[in-house]
Amino acid sequence: MAHQNGTIFTEVSDFLLNCFVRSPSWQHWLSLPLSLLFLLAMGANATLLITIWLEASLHQPMYYLLSLLSLLDMVLCLTVIPKVLAIFWFDLKLISFSACFLQMYIMNCFLAMESCTFMVMAYDRYIAICHPLRYPSIITDQFVVKAAIFILARNVLMTVPIPVLSARLHYCGRNVIENCICANMSVSRLSCGDVTINRLYQFAGGWTLLGSDLILIFLSYTLILRAVQRLKAEGAVAKALSTCGSHFILILFFSTILLVLVLTHVAKKRVSLDVPVLLNVLHHVIPAALNPIVYGVRTQEIKQGIQRLRTKGF
């Protein structure tokens, strides 16, 4: 039981995820493409991971980082999409208190880890283009291990307060979350307590982690473009841009959908409140589906590795 201004409330023990309150018909037309995207994301990332694991020629730092990206994508998909599809198909809206905040933590933590992985991969491309002779001595297996530890430690520690602050709030009345997922702001607005610290940390933490990554990524590609402009050898520019083209496409898409998501939250009065909910769900599956496909199509070594595995019967 909770007390507030002399009134007794019953503490909430679970939540109801109510997707697309203002546009309920969206669930019908979204369920099929969402399930296909989920299957594509899981299948493509699993294929990429198996290919890199079995092909000795792909046992290189760049592909280890790509494997890490695929693992993060798969975890994000499994954390969000099955529950969303269960709501769409079977109306299983109920989610326990602990499961909700666990989902919140995984989403925030792994999204930040994915952003950080993109930043490390941008640094990898910067060294490959701007300092090719030093690349083998800088980007080593030890570098990948240290980078993975940094990615894990920074984001695990920095995102822990988000679900902790939300879980410490008093939920003593409404338990219907107007979202398909346990997003921090969607959950905390149900609280009957002060959520100022929660909102401030979400804002500051998000912009500190994702913002700093995007700045460093932008800086890396600015230096890459400057270095490419100095290349005089015939075909050198095209070759240099090709080595980081797929990476740039994925970062551009990741950043664009994130920017659109932020802008729709800012312009709440001009767009339907269901639009940010839709973008939030899609942001957990579309990049995951695109990442292995773009790399598979644009990276010759991965294409050849997949073809060799197919001929062997895998």
Side-chain angles (χ1 to χ4, degrees), residues 46-119:
T47 301
L48 189 63
L49 284 170
I50 292 171
T51 302
I52 293 173
W53 178 40
L54 294 178
E55 279 295 311
S57 62
L58 298 178
H59 293 176
Q60 301 175 32
M62 182 178 72
Y63 300 112
Y64 293 147
L65 292 172
L66 184 55
S67 297
L68 177 59
L69 185 65
S70 288
L71 283 172
L72 296 174
D73 282 335
M74 292 179 76
V75 172
L76 277 170
C77 269
L78 289 170
T79 302
V80 173
I81 305 305
K83 180 60 180 177
V84 174
L85 291 176
I87 295 171
F88 286 0
W89 291 341
F90 309 111
D91 204 33
L92 298 177
K93 299 180 179 181
L94 192 68
I95 185 169
S96 69
F97 193 85
S98 57
C100 184
F101 291 106
L102 177 62
Q103 186 192 66
M104 183 188 297
Y105 175 66
I106 293 175
M107 287 190 300
N108 282 280
C109 180
F110 278 71
L111 184 63
M113 283 199 283
E114 186 165 355
S115 172
C116 194
T117 302
F118 276 129
M119 183 263 291

Side-chain angles (χ1 to χ4, degrees), residues 220-292:
S220 296
Y221 275 96
T222 300
L223 295 174
I224 287 172
L225 289 175
R226 288 180 59 187
V228 166
Q229 289 176 350
R230 299 193 193 102
L231 296 176
K232 303 298 182 181
E234 185 177 351
V237 173
K239 184 178 180 181
L241 292 177
S242 178
T243 60
C244 58
S246 55
H247 182 214
F248 181 74
I249 289 171
L250 297 178
I251 290 174
L252 188 63
F253 182 82
F254 178 86
S255 304
T256 301
I257 195 170
L258 201 60
L259 180 62
V260 172
L261 181 59
V262 171
L263 291 176
T264 53
H265 272 292
V266 172
K268 287 181 179 179
K269 296 181 180 179
R270 299 184 180 182
V271 298
S272 169
L273 294 179
D274 286 334
V275 172
V277 174
L278 175 63
L279 290 173
N280 214 337
V281 172
L282 293 178
H283 191 242
H284 288 85
V285 66
I286 292 181
L290 284 181
N291 289 350

